[in-house]
Amino acid sequence: MRITNLGSSQNASFYVACELYHQMLKHPHSVLGLATGGTMVDMYGDLVRLLRKNKLDVSHIETFNLDEYKGVPADHPESYNYYMHHILFDRYPHFSESQLHLPNGMATDVVAESKRYENLLDEKGPVDIQILGIGENGHIGFNEPGTPFESTTHCVNLTESTIQANSRFFENEEDVPRQAISMGLQSIMKAKRIILLAFGQQKKDAITHLAKGEITPDMPASILRSHPHVDIYVDDEAMPDCMR
Ligand code: PGA
């Protein structure tokens, strides 16, 4: 696992957009694991610009998103399905709906839906590059502290800290969904390569633990230390003091 300080979130976003672009260019049948959240906004903007300028054929790419809120319809502005369409898929219309995969947050049987998603991931995978953000509490996807390392796609109860952090995207904190369907830690670890992005002072403790702390389910991202190919790109603010 390597941690690289690229100085600013702009630099890191552009760098990772180029990595994704090159993956798709060199391997047109790539499977990409995608993430949502504030951290990813500039990276997707840069990726859209690269795709448009170079008119890349993406017709054989498949994408899998990490998670989706439970009980939020796909066309709701706060759903991750909406986020992905708004920020990437609809802005490069060469993507077609059949290539894009997210858990169905409206499924009535969440156990069956989790199984369907994991099976699809196994059938189409492995993911070539999995993009990750990280929560202040060390979550990846919606795998909150305490999630077993062997977890596959499952229904998650969000912690208070995640509800609070995500309330900035909603009008009121009460509107933040309390549950989500998320790839598990084992699902994430099946990817061939993982790229994690973390920006800002508020992510520094999580990155510090990831760099030097114990590998424990209390800090879900720490599992990444046992993956053979993980690159972490941070800005100045998120760089651990012990690595400066
Ligand atoms: P953020 O979320 O990019 O909005 O900070 C990251 C995460 O919670 O995984």
mmCIF file of all heavy atoms in Angstrom, residues 59-83:
data_model
loop_
_atom_site.group_PDB
_atom_site.id
_atom_site.type_symbol
_atom_site.label_atom_id
_atom_site.label_comp_id
_atom_site.label_asym_id
_atom_site.label_seq_id
_atom_site.Cartn_x
_atom_site.Cartn_y
_atom_site.Cartn_z
ATOM 1 N N SER A 59 -18.166 1.478 -24.807
ATOM 2 C CA SER A 59 -19.337 0.599 -24.948
ATOM 3 C C SER A 59 -19.143 -0.797 -24.338
ATOM 4 O O SER A 59 -20.113 -1.512 -24.143
ATOM 5 C CB SER A 59 -19.737 0.484 -26.419
ATOM 6 O OG SER A 59 -18.648 0.002 -27.170
ATOM 7 N N HIS A 60 -17.891 -1.162 -24.014
ATOM 8 C CA HIS A 60 -17.682 -2.489 -23.400
ATOM 9 C C HIS A 60 -17.279 -2.405 -21.930
ATOM 10 O O HIS A 60 -16.930 -3.414 -21.319
ATOM 11 C CB HIS A 60 -16.617 -3.265 -24.184
ATOM 12 C CG HIS A 60 -17.013 -3.499 -25.599
ATOM 13 N ND1 HIS A 60 -18.066 -4.330 -25.939
ATOM 14 C CD2 HIS A 60 -16.551 -2.992 -26.754
ATOM 15 C CE1 HIS A 60 -18.208 -4.320 -27.256
ATOM 16 N NE2 HIS A 60 -17.314 -3.508 -27.771
ATOM 17 N N ILE A 61 -17.279 -1.197 -21.385
ATOM 18 C CA ILE A 61 -16.945 -1.010 -19.958
ATOM 19 C C ILE A 61 -18.157 -1.405 -19.114
ATOM 20 O O ILE A 61 -19.297 -1.202 -19.520
ATOM 21 C CB ILE A 61 -16.599 0.486 -19.692
ATOM 22 C CG1 ILE A 61 -15.422 0.954 -20.551
ATOM 23 C CG2 ILE A 61 -16.374 0.762 -18.216
ATOM 24 C CD1 ILE A 61 -14.090 0.336 -20.226
ATOM 25 N N GLU A 62 -17.884 -1.995 -17.943
ATOM 26 C CA GLU A 62 -18.972 -2.227 -16.981
ATOM 27 C C GLU A 62 -18.579 -1.507 -15.688
ATOM 28 O O GLU A 62 -17.399 -1.492 -15.317
ATOM 29 C CB GLU A 62 -19.126 -3.720 -16.661
ATOM 30 C CG GLU A 62 -19.379 -4.578 -17.865
ATOM 31 C CD GLU A 62 -20.821 -5.066 -17.985
ATOM 32 O OE1 GLU A 62 -21.640 -4.834 -17.074
ATOM 33 O OE2 GLU A 62 -21.098 -5.687 -19.022
ATOM 34 N N THR A 63 -19.557 -0.919 -15.025
ATOM 35 C CA THR A 63 -19.249 -0.247 -13.760
ATOM 36 C C THR A 63 -20.111 -0.804 -12.628
ATOM 37 O O THR A 63 -21.291 -1.129 -12.839
ATOM 38 C CB THR A 63 -19.489 1.280 -13.847
ATOM 39 O OG1 THR A 63 -20.899 1.527 -13.943
ATOM 40 C CG2 THR A 63 -18.776 1.908 -15.035
ATOM 41 N N PHE A 64 -19.509 -0.891 -11.465
ATOM 42 C CA PHE A 64 -20.216 -1.324 -10.253
ATOM 43 C C PHE A 64 -20.041 -0.271 -9.179
ATOM 44 O O PHE A 64 -18.897 0.051 -8.821
ATOM 45 C CB PHE A 64 -19.636 -2.648 -9.735
ATOM 46 C CG PHE A 64 -20.144 -3.839 -10.489
ATOM 47 C CD1 PHE A 64 -19.548 -4.226 -11.675
ATOM 48 C CD2 PHE A 64 -21.245 -4.553 -10.023
ATOM 49 C CE1 PHE A 64 -20.030 -5.313 -12.385
ATOM 50 C CE2 PHE A 64 -21.726 -5.636 -10.724
ATOM 51 C CZ PHE A 64 -21.128 -6.025 -11.911
ATOM 52 N N ASN A 65 -21.132 0.254 -8.675
ATOM 53 C CA ASN A 65 -21.011 1.200 -7.568
ATOM 54 C C ASN A 65 -20.985 0.474 -6.236
ATOM 55 O O ASN A 65 -21.543 -0.610 -6.091
ATOM 56 C CB ASN A 65 -22.141 2.218 -7.593
ATOM 57 C CG ASN A 65 -21.719 3.466 -8.309
ATOM 58 O OD1 ASN A 65 -21.735 3.510 -9.542
ATOM 59 N ND2 ASN A 65 -21.301 4.472 -7.555
ATOM 60 N N LEU A 66 -20.333 1.123 -5.282
ATOM 61 C CA LEU A 66 -20.160 0.502 -3.965
ATOM 62 C C LEU A 66 -21.456 0.324 -3.211
ATOM 63 O O LEU A 66 -21.633 -0.656 -2.498
ATOM 64 C CB LEU A 66 -19.289 1.417 -3.099
ATOM 65 C CG LEU A 66 -17.796 1.445 -3.340
ATOM 66 C CD1 LEU A 66 -17.185 2.624 -2.605
ATOM 67 C CD2 LEU A 66 -17.185 0.139 -2.867
ATOM 68 N N ASP A 67 -22.369 1.301 -3.333
ATOM 69 C CA ASP A 67 -23.493 1.290 -2.398
ATOM 70 C C ASP A 67 -24.655 2.142 -2.899
ATOM 71 O O ASP A 67 -24.515 2.911 -3.861
ATOM 72 C CB ASP A 67 -23.046 1.774 -1.010
ATOM 73 C CG ASP A 67 -22.114 2.986 -1.080
ATOM 74 O OD1 ASP A 67 -22.168 3.723 -2.079
ATOM 75 O OD2 ASP A 67 -21.350 3.189 -0.135
ATOM 76 N N GLU A 68 -25.770 1.990 -2.224
ATOM 77 C CA GLU A 68 -26.963 2.800 -2.496
ATOM 78 C C GLU A 68 -27.783 2.892 -1.207
ATOM 79 O O GLU A 68 -27.840 1.934 -0.422
ATOM 80 C CB GLU A 68 -27.800 2.148 -3.611
ATOM 81 C CG GLU A 68 -29.098 2.872 -3.966
ATOM 82 C CD GLU A 68 -28.905 4.325 -4.425
ATOM 83 O OE1 GLU A 68 -28.631 5.184 -3.546
ATOM 84 O OE2 GLU A 68 -29.060 4.602 -5.627
ATOM 85 N N TYR A 69 -28.375 4.051 -0.981
ATOM 86 C CA TYR A 69 -29.265 4.210 0.172
ATOM 87 C C TYR A 69 -30.476 3.305 0.025
ATOM 88 O O TYR A 69 -30.986 3.117 -1.087
ATOM 89 C CB TYR A 69 -29.772 5.648 0.260
ATOM 90 C CG TYR A 69 -28.756 6.647 0.743
ATOM 91 C CD1 TYR A 69 -28.424 7.753 -0.034
ATOM 92 C CD2 TYR A 69 -28.152 6.518 1.991
ATOM 93 C CE1 TYR A 69 -27.514 8.702 0.416
ATOM 94 C CE2 TYR A 69 -27.239 7.463 2.442
ATOM 95 C CZ TYR A 69 -26.929 8.548 1.658
ATOM 96 O OH TYR A 69 -26.031 9.482 2.098
ATOM 97 N N LYS A 70 -30.948 2.805 1.158
ATOM 98 C CA LYS A 70 -32.150 1.973 1.139
ATOM 99 C C LYS A 70 -33.389 2.873 1.211
ATOM 100 O O LYS A 70 -33.403 3.848 1.975
ATOM 101 C CB LYS A 70 -32.128 1.010 2.333
ATOM 102 C CG LYS A 70 -33.302 0.069 2.383
ATOM 103 C CD LYS A 70 -33.070 -1.028 3.420
ATOM 104 C CE LYS A 70 -34.270 -1.923 3.507
ATOM 105 N NZ LYS A 70 -35.418 -1.304 4.159
ATOM 106 N N GLY A 71 -34.357 2.561 0.369
ATOM 107 C CA GLY A 71 -35.636 3.279 0.412
ATOM 108 C C GLY A 71 -35.626 4.599 -0.343
ATOM 109 O O GLY A 71 -36.580 5.366 -0.244
ATOM 110 N N VAL A 72 -34.563 4.873 -1.075
ATOM 111 C CA VAL A 72 -34.508 6.122 -1.857
ATOM 112 C C VAL A 72 -34.608 5.744 -3.339
ATOM 113 O O VAL A 72 -33.759 5.027 -3.849
ATOM 114 C CB VAL A 72 -33.191 6.889 -1.582
ATOM 115 C CG1 VAL A 72 -33.117 8.161 -2.411
ATOM 116 C CG2 VAL A 72 -33.065 7.209 -0.100
ATOM 117 N N PRO A 73 -35.645 6.200 -4.050
ATOM 118 C CA PRO A 73 -35.801 5.814 -5.455
ATOM 119 C C PRO A 73 -34.647 6.320 -6.322
ATOM 120 O O PRO A 73 -34.029 7.343 -6.011
ATOM 121 C CB PRO A 73 -37.118 6.488 -5.883
ATOM 122 C CG PRO A 73 -37.709 7.074 -4.663
ATOM 123 C CD PRO A 73 -36.687 7.111 -3.579
ATOM 124 N N ALA A 74 -34.381 5.596 -7.411
ATOM 125 C CA ALA A 74 -33.246 5.903 -8.286
ATOM 126 C C ALA A 74 -33.297 7.331 -8.827
ATOM 127 O O ALA A 74 -32.260 7.955 -9.063
ATOM 128 C CB ALA A 74 -33.200 4.902 -9.432
ATOM 129 N N ASP A 75 -34.516 7.879 -9.024
ATOM 130 C CA ASP A 75 -34.601 9.217 -9.604
ATOM 131 C C ASP A 75 -34.616 10.327 -8.542
ATOM 132 O O ASP A 75 -34.774 11.503 -8.856
ATOM 133 C CB ASP A 75 -35.842 9.323 -10.522
ATOM 134 C CG ASP A 75 -37.131 9.049 -9.769
ATOM 135 O OD1 ASP A 75 -37.067 8.702 -8.565
ATOM 136 O OD2 ASP A 75 -38.209 9.175 -10.381
ATOM 137 N N HIS A 76 -34.433 9.953 -7.272
ATOM 138 C CA HIS A 76 -34.375 10.959 -6.208
ATOM 139 C C HIS A 76 -32.991 11.617 -6.228
ATOM 140 O O HIS A 76 -31.975 10.924 -6.310
ATOM 141 C CB HIS A 76 -34.618 10.275 -4.856
ATOM 142 C CG HIS A 76 -34.749 11.232 -3.717
ATOM 143 N ND1 HIS A 76 -33.657 11.881 -3.163
ATOM 144 C CD2 HIS A 76 -35.832 11.651 -3.034
ATOM 145 C CE1 HIS A 76 -34.069 12.661 -2.183
ATOM 146 N NE2 HIS A 76 -35.387 12.553 -2.082
ATOM 147 N N PRO A 77 -32.925 12.952 -6.156
ATOM 148 C CA PRO A 77 -31.629 13.643 -6.278
ATOM 149 C C PRO A 77 -30.573 13.201 -5.265
ATOM 150 O O PRO A 77 -29.388 13.417 -5.495
ATOM 151 C CB PRO A 77 -31.978 15.120 -6.072
ATOM 152 C CG PRO A 77 -33.434 15.222 -6.329
ATOM 153 C CD PRO A 77 -34.054 13.879 -6.066
ATOM 154 N N GLU A 78 -30.978 12.624 -4.134
ATOM 155 C CA GLU A 78 -29.967 12.191 -3.166
ATOM 156 C C GLU A 78 -29.591 10.723 -3.317
ATOM 157 O O GLU A 78 -28.741 10.222 -2.571
ATOM 158 C CB GLU A 78 -30.422 12.464 -1.721
ATOM 159 C CG GLU A 78 -30.693 13.920 -1.403
ATOM 160 C CD GLU A 78 -29.527 14.852 -1.740
ATOM 161 O OE1 GLU A 78 -28.390 14.365 -1.875
ATOM 162 O OE2 GLU A 78 -29.766 16.064 -1.900
ATOM 163 N N SER A 79 -30.194 10.029 -4.284
ATOM 164 C CA SER A 79 -29.795 8.621 -4.466
ATOM 165 C C SER A 79 -28.440 8.588 -5.160
ATOM 166 O O SER A 79 -28.066 9.520 -5.881
ATOM 167 C CB SER A 79 -30.829 7.860 -5.297
ATOM 168 O OG SER A 79 -30.684 8.185 -6.676
ATOM 169 N N TYR A 80 -27.703 7.531 -4.936
ATOM 170 C CA TYR A 80 -26.401 7.410 -5.594
ATOM 171 C C TYR A 80 -26.569 7.096 -7.077
ATOM 172 O O TYR A 80 -25.700 7.413 -7.886
ATOM 173 C CB TYR A 80 -25.542 6.371 -4.878
ATOM 174 C CG TYR A 80 -25.059 6.872 -3.523
ATOM 175 C CD1 TYR A 80 -24.654 5.999 -2.534
ATOM 176 C CD2 TYR A 80 -24.995 8.231 -3.252
ATOM 177 C CE1 TYR A 80 -24.200 6.466 -1.299
ATOM 178 C CE2 TYR A 80 -24.557 8.708 -2.031
ATOM 179 C CZ TYR A 80 -24.160 7.819 -1.059
ATOM 180 O OH TYR A 80 -23.704 8.289 0.146
ATOM 181 N N ASN A 81 -27.682 6.481 -7.432
ATOM 182 C CA ASN A 81 -27.985 6.252 -8.840
ATOM 183 C C ASN A 81 -28.089 7.604 -9.558
ATOM 184 O O ASN A 81 -27.483 7.815 -10.611
ATOM 185 C CB ASN A 81 -29.307 5.469 -8.928
ATOM 186 C CG ASN A 81 -29.504 4.845 -10.292
ATOM 187 O OD1 ASN A 81 -29.357 5.521 -11.298
ATOM 188 N ND2 ASN A 81 -29.827 3.564 -10.322
ATOM 189 N N TYR A 82 -28.814 8.535 -8.954
ATOM 190 C CA TYR A 82 -28.976 9.880 -9.527
ATOM 191 C C TYR A 82 -27.611 10.579 -9.610
ATOM 192 O O TYR A 82 -27.263 11.184 -10.623
ATOM 193 C CB TYR A 82 -29.951 10.677 -8.655
ATOM 194 C CG TYR A 82 -30.272 12.049 -9.201
ATOM 195 C CD1 TYR A 82 -31.421 12.268 -9.953
ATOM 196 C CD2 TYR A 82 -29.430 13.140 -8.937
ATOM 197 C CE1 TYR A 82 -31.717 13.531 -10.444
ATOM 198 C CE2 TYR A 82 -29.723 14.403 -9.426
ATOM 199 C CZ TYR A 82 -30.871 14.590 -10.177
ATOM 200 O OH TYR A 82 -31.160 15.841 -10.660
ATOM 201 N N TYR A 83 -26.853 10.493 -8.512
ATOM 202 C CA TYR A 83 -25.517 11.121 -8.459
ATOM 203 C C TYR A 83 -24.679 10.650 -9.642
ATOM 204 O O TYR A 83 -24.080 11.457 -10.356
ATOM 205 C CB TYR A 83 -24.871 10.733 -7.122
ATOM 206 C CG TYR A 83 -23.403 11.112 -6.923
ATOM 207 C CD1 TYR A 83 -23.041 12.096 -6.005
ATOM 208 C CD2 TYR A 83 -22.377 10.447 -7.597
ATOM 209 C CE1 TYR A 83 -21.701 12.431 -5.791
ATOM 210 C CE2 TYR A 83 -21.043 10.771 -7.397
ATOM 211 C CZ TYR A 83 -20.710 11.761 -6.486
ATOM 212 O OH TYR A 83 -19.381 12.068 -6.288
#
